[in-house]
Amino acid sequence: MIPHLWNDLEGTFFPESALDYMPEDRLREVQLQRLKAVTALAYDRVPLFRERMTAKGAKPADVRRLEDVRRLPFMVKNDLRDTYPYGLFAVPMSEVVRLHASSGTTGKPIVVGYTAQDMDVWKQAIMRSLYSAGFRRADVVQNMYGYGLFTGGLGLHGGLEGIGATVIPISGGNSERQIMVMKDFGVTAVCSTPSYFIHLIEVAQKMGLDFKRDLKVRRGVFGAEPWTDHMRQYIEAASGIKAYDIYGLSEIIGPGVGNECEYQDGPHIFEDHFLVEIVDPATLEPVPDGQEGELVITTLSKQAMPVIRYRTRDITAIDIRPCRCGRTIRRIRRISRRSDDMFIIRGVNVFPTQIETALLKTEASLPHYQIVLTRKSGLDQMEVRVEVTGDMLRDSVGEMEQLQKRFARSIEQITGLHTTVTLVQPGSIPRSAGKAKRLLDTRNEA
Ligand code: DLL
């Protein structure tokens, strides 16, 4: 029997989600009850978790108060990779109704699974996200997140249908068509990565359209990559819409871990489903509320893949100031950086090591390379500079161009991203005595 972890609460979700306004002591009670249940579930069903608990001398019964979460072992992205594909699942495959995947540091993605109940929890979390950002059933919504293995497209889609909005499942790309649809279908709200939407603003301008005058879009939820307040101001001023931050990650559920309310002051976390802690990434000790550190999340109601104390690598702080909207679920500060070297370009997660793998696959000798990220007309661009070694030197210019193309193709195969490859003189890429600085990210330097 799979325990029911969430529908014990008779929550009325609409017109306003009662769960967002639960009295704080009741919320903490719910969290504790669920933390106990999810710890027991993982202990019973997930060997990796049980082994780590045993190594720590811990038992599920040790969780008596919420703070006891600190007695539980951490999980990291590598754990998902090491147990690829289904090693962290706590239910038989017959109970799993959906799989999603996200890229990891090696060629293999990480895989996440959902039971029917997990799908419901996810849908509710997205409905609450959209509702807090002002989306309503009368909205016509263009969902520009990628449909497929990425959690963005289908995740948002479920919640959009849940609130009764009209969904246009267009996915990303084909920018002129996006603008045409936006105009002709009378789109009132959008879901997109912030960088792609900025690009669309430019495309619309090139097509001779004025966002404010010619389009009916009034709001959007933006996430899947860091975006600054500066970018928000730009989006709002240039398009006349209200832009809200949506946060989430595949390992936890996908989009919908948290979302901003009308005050646009950092995402409220759906704390009845996600327990958040902030730790010092070096010592892993908790930091006081309000102080910055690494966000650690425990899923409180997921069945297929319960995730305990997941180190997100996202750097933020819990905002303990009450929000003017009256929601009791707390907020986190908007995420502007990660503690590891993964970077996100156009919503796709990329690790420098993936680029290295691609270069090595093309040419056997180890190249010196640097990844340069820039932002042109609002759209993120990736350039990979590769130092030419003796082994790579070819006679003709044409052969060198071929080499360049093969590098670019190999990078695209591994990351799915189109990139410019530039061959540079030997010795021109800076060397470091310690860690190599593979990434030059100038996207926020404007
Ligand atoms: O990006 C899920 C998602 C889809 C969120 C659509 C929002 C909208 P992943 O591909 O696993 O999942 O990437 C998760 O993206 O750990 C953050 O580093 C980053 N990220 C996600 N949302 C935000 C945001 C989806 N609002 C990783 N602000 C996370 C900053 C974000 N970074």
Side-chain angles (χ1 to χ4, degrees), residues 145 150-151 224-226 245-246 248-250 314 335 338 344 349:
Y145 283 113
F150 179 48
T151 54
E225 65 187 359
D245 195 350
I246 183 164
L249 59 163
S250 319
D314 290 325
I335 288 153
R338 294 177 51 86
I344 302 176
N349 299 348

Side-chain angles (χ1 to χ4, degrees), residues 383-411:
E383 181 199 359
V384 179
R385 294 181 186 156
V386 188
E387 241 177 64
V388 190
T389 64
D391 296 344
M392 293 179 202
L393 279 176
R394 304 282 191 276
D395 293 332
S396 73
V397 175
E399 281 178 304
M400 292 304 274
E401 275 171 7
Q402 284 305 318
L403 180 63
Q404 236 162 331
K405 280 195 188 131
R406 284 197 291 125
F407 276 138
R409 215 176 303 128
S410 175
I411 293 169

Side-chain angles (χ1 to χ4, degrees), residues 300-332:
L300 293 175
S301 41
K302 263 222 326 233
Q303 296 176 323
M305 208 186 90
V307 174
I308 310 248
R309 301 199 87 196
Y310 186 70
R311 292 187 56 191
T312 64
R313 310 285 170 172
D314 290 325
I315 302 293
T316 180
I318 292 180
D319 192 345
I320 46 168
R321 295 169 305 156
C323 184
R324 282 172 290 165
C325 72
R327 283 180 176 76
T328 49
I329 48 172
R330 292 175 301 173
R331 286 169 295 158
I332 55 168

